[in-house]
Amino acid sequence: MEQAERKKMRKAIVYASIHHGNTEKLVKSIAEECQVDLIDAVKQSDADLGSYDMIGFASGIYFSKFHQSMLKFAEKNLPDNKKIFLICTYGGSANYRSIEQILNKKHSKVIGKFGCKGYDTFGPFKLVGGIAKGHPDEEDIKNAVEFVKGL
Ligand SMILES: Cc1cc2nc3c(=O)[nH]c(=O)nc-3n(C[C@H](O)[C@H](O)[C@H](O)COP(=O)(O)O)c2cc1C
């Protein structure tokens, strides 16, 4: 797709960032460089996504899933047949299954996925000062912005 054509597509990113604001840091940096509307699924449980050409779902990983508020939001507000991209931050490893199960039901196509580490002090990790300290870092942010620009 030509860049001019890409720019015309309306994009939104729905996000849930609870633990350290790791995911929020990424999506806010993306919004500074790309034309996207940000929707905080924790604060806002409803939104009309009908007018968007592409919708991103961005979340930290909690017990191997996207955050419950995000999953509920997608169940409730995502229209069928949308183009979707996924973003997550995680202490250990990415896991997209929870959101993908909802997307399958809604016949939505995932056009890209991006994940990076995010500072994690949950449970025993707190005792050792946390893991993935400093993440997302400059490099992670740069990669996330490029990912969205390339969609
Ligand atoms: C309650 C809780 C559960 C978590 N579970 C996982 C997990 O199953 N796998 C993982 O890789 N990271 C896990 N993490 C780490 C977070 O995914 C990571 O810190 C993420 O960047 C948090 O994003 P946020 O700051 O945007 O909320 C967990 C963190 C918390 C607080």
Side-chain angles (χ1 to χ4, degrees):
M1 204 186 298
E2 292 299 319
Q3 210 179 348
E5 222 177 303
R6 254 188 219 143
K7 277 194 174 160
K8 268 189 263 161
M9 301 197 90
R10 287 199 72 206
K11 290 192 193 95
I13 298 180
V14 183
Y15 71 96
S17 186
I18 317 294
H19 190 33
H20 283 293
N22 297 329
T23 312
E24 185 171 54
K25 190 171 166 189
L26 276 191
V27 297
K28 292 217 159 149
S29 303
I30 291 168
E32 279 169 20
E33 299 217 27
C34 311
Q35 276 261 299
V36 294
D37 293 340
L38 295 183
I39 299 166
D40 183 341
V42 179
K43 294 193 183 136
Q44 196 182 326
S45 58
D46 279 312
D48 182 359
L49 300 178
S51 63
Y52 293 102
D53 303 296
M54 271 187 214
I55 299 157
F57 287 108
S59 177
I61 298 297
Y62 313 90
F63 307 110
S64 306
K65 292 181 176 176
F66 273 43
H67 194 257
Q68 283 303 325
S69 61
M70 155 115 316
L71 299 172
K72 279 195 191 122
F73 185 101
E75 283 271 17
K76 201 166 164 201
N77 300 297
L78 178 65
D80 282 1
N81 297 308
K82 286 286 182 187
K83 286 197 185 78
I84 307 292
F85 56 99
L86 300 177
I87 295 172
C88 71
T89 67
Y90 50 84
S93 59
N95 195 324
Y96 302 96
R97 214 173 311 137
S98 55
I99 184 80
E100 281 176 332
Q101 280 172 350
I102 297 169
L103 301 178
N104 283 342
K105 282 194 279 181
K106 292 182 177 267
H107 311 287
S108 297
K109 188 168 176 246
V110 177
I111 54 167
K113 296 182 199 178
F114 175 87
C116 73
K117 294 217 175 250
Y119 182 43
D120 179 9
T121 55
F122 179 59
F125 295 131
K126 195 170 182 172
L127 302 173
V128 294
I131 57 170
K133 213 169 186 170
H135 288 276
D137 62 10
E138 286 303 311
E139 187 68 21
D140 297 324
I141 290 170
K142 185 170 145 270
N143 291 338
V145 170
E146 270 167 24
F147 163 72
V148 174
K149 283 188 176 168
L151 287 167

